[in-house]
Amino acid sequence: SINRPPQNPPPRPPAEMRRKRA
Amino acid sequence: APIILDSYRVIADYRKTSKYEIDLCTGDLVEIVEKKPNGWWFCQCEPKRGWAPASYLEPLDGPEESEEADPDYAGELYITTKAYSAALDDELTLEEGETIEVIHKLLDGWWVVRKGEETGHFPSMFLNRTGEKK
């Protein structure tokens, strides 16, 4: 079904977002 | 009554890696139909619908921190259901079946976990709650 979520972990946030959060 | 869906803005281009996902372009606006705690959100961006990573989206109104639970430094016990090898230096490498403490459940699905002296991000998709408090 289309509603089946992916079975792999989603990607980490883009690098600039990770820096903003850190 | 009509259902009002949350709107989010795409913060970086994303190329889908499976057929149930959607491609995202920086600046696109998407509506969120469902938010999974593993960090995959079901979005619609007419005429496309599919899963997208929450980490590539920011809310149109207000900071997303308001939706996110506060860190729980006491830790909540979970067991890893799958091994994962760190790809970035702020992640943890863990084998399947390890008991760890979850200290911050981030909306992007990469929770902050503690194992002994080490702390780092780990995919929540590979964690199962033990139901015990530390």
Side-chain angles (χ1 to χ4, degrees):
Chain A
S1 113
I2 184 111
N3 277 319
R4 199 174 79 106
Q7 299 302 297
N8 51 308
R12 294 293 307 280
E16 62 272 26
M17 286 300 288
R18 286 204 308 277
R19 273 196 297 276
K20 211 194 287 182
R21 288 200 71 122
Chain B
I3 297 168
I4 310 293
L5 299 172
D6 286 349
S7 290
Y8 280 70
R9 184 187 291 111
V10 175
I11 57 168
D13 292 349
Y14 175 71
R15 294 286 294 177
K16 64 182 189 176
T17 57
S18 69
K19 64 175 177 175
Y20 300 126
E21 297 167 42
I22 55 170
D23 287 326
L24 301 173
C25 289
T26 308
D28 277 355
L29 296 186
V30 299
E31 289 182 309
I32 310 301
V33 177
E34 185 180 357
K35 295 177 179 179
K36 291 274 186 201
N38 62 25
W40 287 110
W41 290 2
F42 197 80
C43 309
Q44 55 187 34
C45 178
E46 294 303 342
K48 298 179 293 180
R49 304 183 91 204
W51 297 93
S55 56
Y56 279 61
L57 305 172
E58 67 175 9
L60 270 190
D61 39 353
E64 73 176 324
E65 278 72 15
S66 55
E67 279 181 66
E68 207 157 68
D70 289 330
D72 170 14
Y73 295 108
E76 201 178 335
L77 294 178
Y78 278 71
I79 292 177
T80 55
T81 57
K82 200 168 176 189
Y84 174 78
S85 291
L88 294 170
D89 57 12
D90 64 352
E91 298 175 3
L92 275 194
T93 294
L94 296 168
E95 297 301 321
E96 182 182 335
E98 294 199 63
T99 299
I100 53 89
E101 298 157 25
V102 171
I103 56 181
H104 200 181
K105 296 176 179 176
L106 299 176
L107 291 176
D108 66 22
W110 287 83
W111 291 358
V112 180
V113 310
R114 184 168 57 209
K115 166 87 185 179
E117 299 290 297
E118 287 188 298
T119 300
H121 294 270
F122 194 80
S124 62
M125 179 177 272
F126 298 157
L127 294 172
N128 237 349
R129 201 158 173 260
T130 67
E132 296 167 62
K133 265 280 180 194
K134 202 182 176 228

